[in-house]
Amino acid sequence: MNSEYRSLEHIRGQMLQHWPEAVTPACDLVTSVTRLSDLLLANSRPKITHHGLTGAEFDVLITLRKMAPPYELTPTELRNSTLITSGGLTKVLHQLEDRQLVMRIDDPLDGRIKRVRLTNTGINKAETVLTEILRTDAAMLNQLISNKDLQGINVILMKLLAGVETQVQR
């Protein structure tokens, strides 16, 4: 950990000292979930780059792999399912296509649209990288919290997420 890193506990302590009214259960939850997400992504980044992928490329591969066979979406559907801009997605798709991880095929209903489909190589790459990440995450989390507690947290977070999803417009 670098010397500039500050733990969430340290940051919260500073807020309690200098801005106590900002320390609320909602603030604690949002800050904790955001920090946990950042740390887990940082932990997965070396595995993604080890396999010659960028974060955006991995996001596209995983998004396509989550679809039913033949693992394809339109570029618009992909953009709506990822955090990649339209211009950024075009670049990512060209890179993935050049490495034969995806292919572009004509949409049978609209010839103006080129659907994006995972190739067998892309399927294998997505599954290999995600399996490594999940194995590492599980090993780390299982050292820190029991499986029963982890399941309980998941139930509560899914309930909370379902409610927030109905209230937040995207």
Side-chain angles (χ1 to χ4, degrees):
M1 199 140 332
N2 77 38
S3 62
E4 294 185 27
Y5 177 80
R6 298 286 185 249
S7 71
L8 189 55
E9 186 177 331
H10 175 83
I11 294 167
R12 189 175 188 278
Q14 286 181 313
M15 285 183 74
L16 278 171
Q17 184 177 1
H18 303 292
W19 194 8
E21 61 273 16
V23 180
T24 65
C27 178
D28 285 345
L29 174 71
V30 170
T31 308
S32 297
V33 169
T34 301
R35 177 59 69 96
L36 180 60
S37 175
D38 288 347
L39 291 170
L40 290 172
L41 287 172
N43 196 50
S44 67
R45 199 166 293 120
K47 288 162 192 54
I48 293 168
T49 57
H50 173 77
H51 287 276
L53 297 171
T54 65
E57 291 169 337
F58 178 69
D59 193 10
V60 167
L61 294 179
I62 294 304
T63 299
L64 289 169
R65 179 56 187 89
K66 287 186 268 187
M67 299 297 111
Y71 313 113
E72 69 181 35
L73 291 170
T74 66
T76 299
E77 292 168 333
L78 253 177
R79 191 180 70 246
N80 291 338
S81 299
T82 63
L83 297 176
I84 306 169
T85 64
S86 179
L89 181 61
T90 299
K91 178 182 175 187
V92 167
L93 292 178
H94 285 301
Q95 292 168 333
L96 292 172
E97 194 172 21
D98 289 346
R99 294 194 321 249
Q100 300 179 340
L101 297 172
V102 300
M103 68 175 89
R104 306 292 299 271
I105 58 168
D106 290 330
D107 187 296
L109 302 176
D110 187 341
R112 299 170 296 170
I113 298 173
K114 290 276 204 185
R115 297 183 69 79
V116 181
R117 179 183 291 177
L118 275 181
T119 63
N120 287 336
T121 305
I123 293 167
N124 291 334
K125 179 74 79 173
E127 291 175 356
T128 298
V129 178
L130 186 60
T131 298
E132 286 181 23
I133 290 169
L134 294 176
R135 187 179 313 120
T136 303
D137 287 350
M140 179 175 46
L141 293 173
N142 289 334
Q143 291 176 14
L144 304 171
I145 190 169
S146 74
N147 211 34
K148 181 180 177 186
D149 285 345
L150 193 56
Q151 289 172 345
I153 291 169
N154 286 334
V155 168
I156 292 168
L157 283 175
M158 291 300 233
K159 180 180 178 182
L160 186 60
L161 182 58
V164 171
E165 284 178 336
T166 65
Q167 295 185 33
V168 175
Q169 298 290 354
R170 292 187 84 185

